[in-house]
Amino acid sequence: MGFLKTVGFSRLRSGLSKTGASLGRLLGRPMVDEAWFEEVESTLIMADAGVRTSQDLVAALRKSLKSSPIDPASSPDGLSNRLIEILSKQLGAVTASPLASLSGPRIIMVVGVNGAGKTTSIGKLAHHYQSQGERVLLAAGDTFRAAAQEQLQVWGSRNGIDVIAQAKGDPAAVAFDAVKAGQARGASLVIVDTAGRLPTQAHLMEELKKVKRVLAKAIVDGPHEVWLVVDGGTGQNAVGQVKAFDDALGLTGLVVTKLDGTAKGGVLLALAHERPVPVRFVGVGEGIEDLQPFDPDAFAAALVQA
Ligand SMILES: Nc1nc2c(ncn2[C@@H]2O[C@H](COP(=O)(O)OP(=O)(O)OP(=O)(O)O)[C@@H](O)[C@H]2O)c(=O)[nH]1
Ligand SMILES: [Mg+2]
């Protein structure tokens, strides 16, 4: 786990420290009894893992400790390592496989509720993919507010890349234009920003479906990816968001943001258990570098050991 040594990991670890501190305290205790299992369960629930998920994880832990017991006195790290193993296995359900290579530009449509971190994440994604040699183009599909276009333009100039925008116009038209511009300019990746919305706002969800339909007409197999950006600090609410956006649009990935802040991180366990959409990246700050590819082992270790 080379990732463990990176700055990103320490950000993640300090962000998730609430959970880690309480799990750490439990794991350092000499007695593994019924009360201990109950405490592990309630700690996971408090870390936003959700009741059902926490119960199932503790059941897995019980089973594992029964078939292969650990003596905390002689093996001080044994319990943490066992729990990390179980959490990583659960998080394995949301591990993303690498994106398949394409001949034309890949289109990533980015959606989510207001303020989740879509535009910021797009700025960071542009930087990430550019550093991997991709030719990136951005589309200002949030035509709802003028400031939203400007915000994306700022990220565009920070990365030295073009942003396709229209002074007036609807998001589907901007998305269509961006695909055509991407094809004409030899871009390998077009990332489409959209305005924030609640999944309960039916007309706004219809608008997203329209953007998706138009992208399907603009390019073969488009959009290749539909990613939901979720604020990791919203706890169980994030699970509802993933289900609703997935039902409406068929998500292919998630970006979970703000794990450097108040987020407790357990929500990824709940997602893995209840609606396993691959987690592509986690956001650990507001800077251009503060985006990490999701690594289930490192994340489980951060949850337990912080
Ligand atoms: N600490 C922290 N802040 C973040 C992260 N990602 C985004 N933010 C902040 O969250 C706020 C909202 O981010 P935006 O990118 O504007 O969110 P959005 O989803 O595009 O918002 P709307 O377009 O209004 O729906 C900004 O202040 C960002 O700097 C993160 O990973 N960590
Ligand atoms: Mg935005």
Side-chain angles (χ1 to χ4, degrees):
M1 280 191 273
F3 179 70
L4 283 175
K5 295 190 183 67
T6 66
V7 176
F9 182 75
S10 69
R11 278 281 182 93
L12 183 63
R13 201 160 60 169
S14 59
L16 303 182
S17 62
K18 284 188 195 143
T19 314
S22 33
L23 280 171
R25 179 179 50 76
L26 282 172
L27 296 167
R29 227 167 64 178
M31 256 301 248
V32 175
D33 53 11
E34 197 50 37
W36 184 85
F37 282 113
E38 274 169 27
E39 271 191 70
V40 174
E41 184 180 312
S42 50
T43 305
L44 286 168
I45 294 170
M46 284 187 289
D48 289 336
V51 174
R52 248 176 317 175
T53 305
S54 304
Q55 284 170 344
D56 286 2
L57 288 167
V58 169
L61 181 63
R62 261 179 213 277
K63 200 171 148 204
S64 163
L65 289 174
K66 197 170 176 195
S67 66
S68 162
I70 289 168
D71 172 12
S74 62
S75 165
D77 293 334
L79 280 177
S80 333
N81 290 338
R82 189 65 62 81
L83 186 60
I84 291 172
E85 225 173 81
I86 282 162
L87 301 187
S88 328
K89 194 169 162 218
Q90 176 73 82
L91 292 171
V94 288
T95 305
S97 36
L99 298 170
S101 61
L102 295 178
S103 53
R106 178 190 316 282
I107 316 299
I108 304 178
M109 176 178 165
V110 177
V111 301
V113 305
N114 309 71
K118 294 176 293 300
T119 308
T120 307
S121 297
I122 289 171
K124 299 177 194 171
L125 285 167
H127 174 71
H128 172 86
Y129 283 117
Q130 218 179 5
S131 69
Q132 297 200 332
E134 302 267 359
R135 289 172 55 88
V136 186
L137 189 68
L138 302 180
D142 181 352
T143 54
F144 198 63
R145 297 176 294 124
Q149 294 183 26
E150 284 160 28
Q151 189 191 356
L152 197 68
Q153 302 274 12
V154 169
W155 281 108
S157 39
R158 244 175 236 166
N159 284 302
I161 57 180
D162 291 341
V163 176
I164 304 299
Q166 291 179 1
K168 282 185 190 156
D170 82 323
V174 175
F176 187 88
D177 267 11
V179 172
K180 294 301 153 190
Q183 287 169 325
R185 300 177 195 184
S188 61
L189 182 62
V190 177
I191 312 179
V192 182
D193 194 11
T194 60
R197 69 204 70 214
L198 291 171
T200 47
Q201 295 171 299
H203 62 295
L204 295 179
M205 293 306 278
E206 283 309 313
E207 184 187 72
L208 279 185
K209 290 183 195 169
K210 183 178 164 197
V211 172
K212 195 181 172 202
R213 281 197 302 275
V214 166
L215 286 169
K217 284 192 190 131
I219 186 166
V220 181
D221 297 330
H224 308 90
E225 301 289 330
V226 182
W227 290 0
L228 177 73
V229 176
V230 275
D231 178 340
T234 56
Q236 285 298 292
N237 202 329
V239 178
Q241 287 174 27
V242 172
K243 286 181 177 169
F245 277 94
D246 191 28
D247 289 343
L249 296 163
L251 299 175
T252 63
L254 301 180
V255 177
V256 183
T257 60
K258 310 189 193 182
L259 290 173
D260 53 307
T262 54
K264 298 179 215 150
V267 67
L268 270 81
L269 295 165
L271 287 170
H273 194 249
E274 293 193 33
R275 185 64 68 101
V277 176
V279 177
R280 296 278 166 192
F281 292 91
V282 294
V284 293
E286 298 183 87
I288 198 163
E289 303 267 2
D290 295 331
L291 187 77
Q292 297 286 328
F294 174 65
D295 174 336
D297 297 334
F299 198 87
L303 275 173
V304 172
Q305 290 176 340

